[in-house]
């Protein structure tokens, strides 16, 4: 999905962002339990002086009211989408966009509230979101948010799934890197990065649609032009792949026959293959230098995800010789980052007019959970290969 300006504007990369960027495990029900005490007789006496809250300043009161409004709006949009899905009603165009923006507005307003009233920062939440940005009492809302997106972005009925989706991503990433001349260790790093991109774009769900864009779909959330570009680049290295790994070449032949005239993005294997070739393969030769500059595997994944979001500036940063300190100041590029939940939440973040790549990587904290799960899945893949 990298390389197209439209991708950053329409983006759901989720991909970065297309997927709401959050993964939850709890199940949200339609039943709301009132938060009232079960037995008021157990309440102790509180004197008026002790029970009187400190008066809020105007700015604190405004922040509280803005958060309440944003929270209620998020609840309203979420409830509306659930009701539409339950009633099997036709959804509006881009049904996830309003929901995604409402979630962002809620988190942004909460950050403004905790900046104004630090005492509002509560307990940690299961999503790993910094508590200053999210009230853990609202975890069920994000559970429901993820559930609704999963329904809206379900693969179409004719999608061709793989029984080994994660192994496929790692194998393709590794073999493409080997075909680009990398040694075994660096090729393994490329396979790890490829798996990270898969999780960043789709939460590890193959063949998915996109509720925030009509352009991007599939396991790597590519557009038609990007997929076709990837197909041509794969054809150019296919002989090298066959020489390196005949089994992968044979699998590729089977998947090509299987997909036939179907959109290649609806076959997991060809979608991953074409997505990697389109955006990332040309940068794989630089993996050794990237690993040296960014030893943290999650930082490496973040950098390649930025190839999805802001491709040209990321390549310029890589060419600068000083990746971490390379500074982005273009308002349009900063806007692309904000559209993908980077420097998005709270007035202080949104007011930033420039950032170094080190600051950008640190601001990609909503991706951390995705990449951590990618690393966990990579361990499972490695164990199967050893077995």
């Amino acid at each position: 999905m990298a390389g197209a300006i439209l991708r950053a504007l329409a983006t759901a990369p989720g991909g970065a962002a297309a997927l709401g960027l959050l993964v939850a495990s709890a199940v949200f029900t339609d039943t709301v339990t009132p938060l009232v005490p079960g037995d008021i007789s157990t309440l102790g006496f509180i004197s008026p002086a002790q029970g009187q809250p400190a008066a809020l300043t105007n700015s604190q009161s405004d922040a509280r009211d803005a958060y309440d409004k944003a929270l209620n709006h998020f609840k309203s949009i979420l409830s509306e989408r659930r009701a539409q899905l339950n009633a099997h009603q036709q959804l509006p165009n881009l049904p996830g966009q309003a929901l995604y923006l409402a979630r962002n507005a809620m988190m942004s307003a909460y950050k403004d509230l905790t900046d104004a009233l630090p005492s509002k920062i509560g307990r940690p939440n299961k999503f790993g979101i910094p508590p200053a940005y999210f009230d853990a009492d609202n975890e069920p809302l994000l559970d429901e948010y993820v559930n609704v997106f999963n329904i809206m972005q379900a693969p179409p009925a004719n999608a061709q799934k793989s029984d080994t989706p994660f192994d496929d991503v790692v194998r393709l990433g590794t073999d493409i890197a080997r075909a680009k001349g990398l040694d075994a260790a660096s090729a393994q790093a490329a396979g790890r990065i490829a798996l990270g991109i898969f999780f960043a774009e789709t939460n590890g769900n193959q063949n998915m649609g996109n509720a925030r864009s009509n352009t991007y779909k599939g396991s790597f959330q590519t557009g038609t032009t990007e997929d076709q570009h990837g197909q041509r680049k794969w054809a150019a290295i296919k002989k090298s792949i066959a020489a390196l790994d005949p089994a992968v070449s044979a699998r590729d032949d089977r998947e090509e026959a299987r997909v036939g005239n179907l959109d290649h993005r609806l076959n997991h294997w060809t979608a991953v293959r074409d997505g990697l070739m389109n955006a990332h393969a040309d940068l794989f030769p630089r993996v050794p230098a990237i690993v040296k500059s960014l030893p943290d595997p999650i930082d490496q994944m973040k950098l390649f995800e930025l190839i999805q979001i802001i491709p040209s500036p990321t390549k310029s940063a890589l060419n600068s010789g000083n990746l971490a300190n390379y500074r982005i100041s273009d308002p349009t590029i900063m806007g692309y980052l904000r559209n993908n939940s980077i420097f998005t939440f709270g007035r202080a973040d949104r007011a930033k007019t420039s950032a170094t790549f080190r600051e950008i990587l640190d601001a990609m904290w909503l991706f951390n959970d995705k990449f951590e799960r990618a690393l966990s899945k990579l361990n499972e893949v490695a164990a199967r290969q050893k077995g």
Side-chain angles (χ1 to χ4, degrees):
M1 182 179 320
I5 293 297
L6 178 62
R7 187 249 184 266
L9 292 172
T11 180
L19 313 174
L21 301 174
L22 296 168
V23 173
S25 58
V27 177
F28 180 82
T29 67
D30 293 328
T31 303
V32 178
T33 303
L35 297 178
V36 297
D39 182 2
I40 61 173
S41 65
T42 61
L43 295 177
F45 175 77
I46 301 176
S47 70
Q50 291 175 316
Q52 185 68 33
L56 300 180
T57 65
N58 288 339
S59 62
Q60 290 171 334
S61 180
D62 289 345
R64 179 200 59 193
D65 293 344
Y67 172 65
D68 289 343
K69 181 179 179 180
L71 176 61
N72 287 331
H73 180 63
F74 178 58
K75 291 178 179 179
S76 175
I77 296 291
L78 188 59
S79 177
E80 179 183 24
R81 289 291 177 272
R82 170 55 75 180
Q84 291 168 335
L85 291 170
N86 288 348
H88 303 289
Q89 295 177 0
Q90 182 174 351
L91 298 177
N93 185 42
L94 306 183
Q97 183 68 358
L99 186 54
Y100 169 76
L101 294 175
R103 184 212 66 170
N104 285 359
M106 174 193 68
M107 292 175 61
S108 187
Y110 191 72
K111 181 60 167 63
D112 289 338
L113 176 61
T114 58
D115 283 346
L117 285 167
S119 62
K120 289 291 186 179
I121 299 176
R123 68 183 189 279
N125 56 82
K126 66 182 181 181
F127 303 104
I129 300 172
Y133 292 81
F134 181 69
D135 183 352
D137 287 345
N138 290 324
E139 285 179 348
L141 293 177
L142 289 193
D143 284 334
E144 173 70 342
Y145 174 84
V146 172
N147 292 338
V148 166
F149 261 95
N150 285 342
I151 296 171
M152 294 190 299
Q153 300 185 148
N158 61 340
Q160 298 175 342
K161 75 179 186 69
S162 169
D163 292 331
T164 56
F166 308 108
D167 303 68
D168 295 350
V169 175
V170 175
R171 191 74 172 269
L172 282 165
T174 302
D175 277 10
I176 290 170
R178 289 177 63 200
K180 290 289 184 176
L182 270 67
D183 61 24
S186 295
Q188 287 180 354
R192 177 180 68 231
I193 289 167
L195 190 61
I197 299 166
F198 179 41
F199 271 86
E201 292 295 306
T202 72
N203 276 332
N205 298 311
Q206 56 177 313
N207 300 329
M208 58 168 283
N210 192 319
R212 292 182 56 216
S213 171
N214 294 325
T215 301
Y216 303 102
K217 65 178 64 175
S219 294
F220 260 55
Q221 291 294 289
T222 50
T224 302
T225 300
E226 293 163 332
D227 184 79
Q228 291 172 347
H229 187 220
Q231 289 183 49
R232 291 192 295 270
K233 294 177 76 172
W234 172 260
I237 69 164
K238 178 67 182 290
K239 289 184 179 179
S240 297
I241 295 290
L244 287 166
D245 195 338
V248 162
S249 181
R251 167 74 182 279
D252 187 67
D253 291 341
R254 292 194 299 272
E255 295 299 334
E256 280 284 355
R258 180 187 180 199
V259 73
N261 294 324
L262 184 68
D263 187 335
H264 273 54
R265 296 173 299 164
L266 297 182
N267 172 290
H268 175 69
W269 177 274
T270 56
V272 170
R273 180 200 74 187
D274 299 342
L276 285 172
M277 290 304 304
N278 170 69
H280 306 287
D282 288 344
L283 290 178
F284 278 173
R286 307 183 74 161
V287 163
I290 290 170
V291 170
K292 184 177 180 180
S293 177
L294 299 173
D296 184 349
I298 289 182
D299 278 346
Q300 298 160 21
M301 294 174 177
K302 287 179 178 178
L303 182 69
F304 273 82
E305 178 60 18
L306 287 172
I307 291 293
Q308 301 281 104
I309 300 170
I310 50 169
S312 294
T314 303
K315 292 173 185 177
S316 296
L318 285 169
N319 292 332
S320 71
N322 191 4
L323 172 63
N325 292 318
Y326 187 86
R327 182 169 291 276
I328 300 294
S329 301
D330 187 320
T332 301
I333 301 303
M334 293 297 289
Y336 294 163
L337 292 173
R338 290 192 179 93
N339 196 45
N340 287 274
S341 296
I342 303 166
F343 302 126
T344 302
F345 308 108
R347 289 191 183 93
D349 271 359
R350 295 196 307 274
K352 290 181 70 70
T353 58
S354 69
T356 66
F357 260 73
R358 180 66 267 169
E359 291 170 332
I360 293 170
L361 295 173
D362 290 342
M364 295 175 71
W365 43 263
L366 267 181
F367 290 85
N368 288 344
D369 176 70
K370 295 170 179 290
F371 293 141
E372 288 167 359
R373 286 184 295 110
L375 291 175
S376 177
K377 190 61 66 174
L378 181 68
N379 291 334
E380 296 177 19
V381 171
R384 282 194 294 272
Q385 291 176 346
K386 289 180 180 179

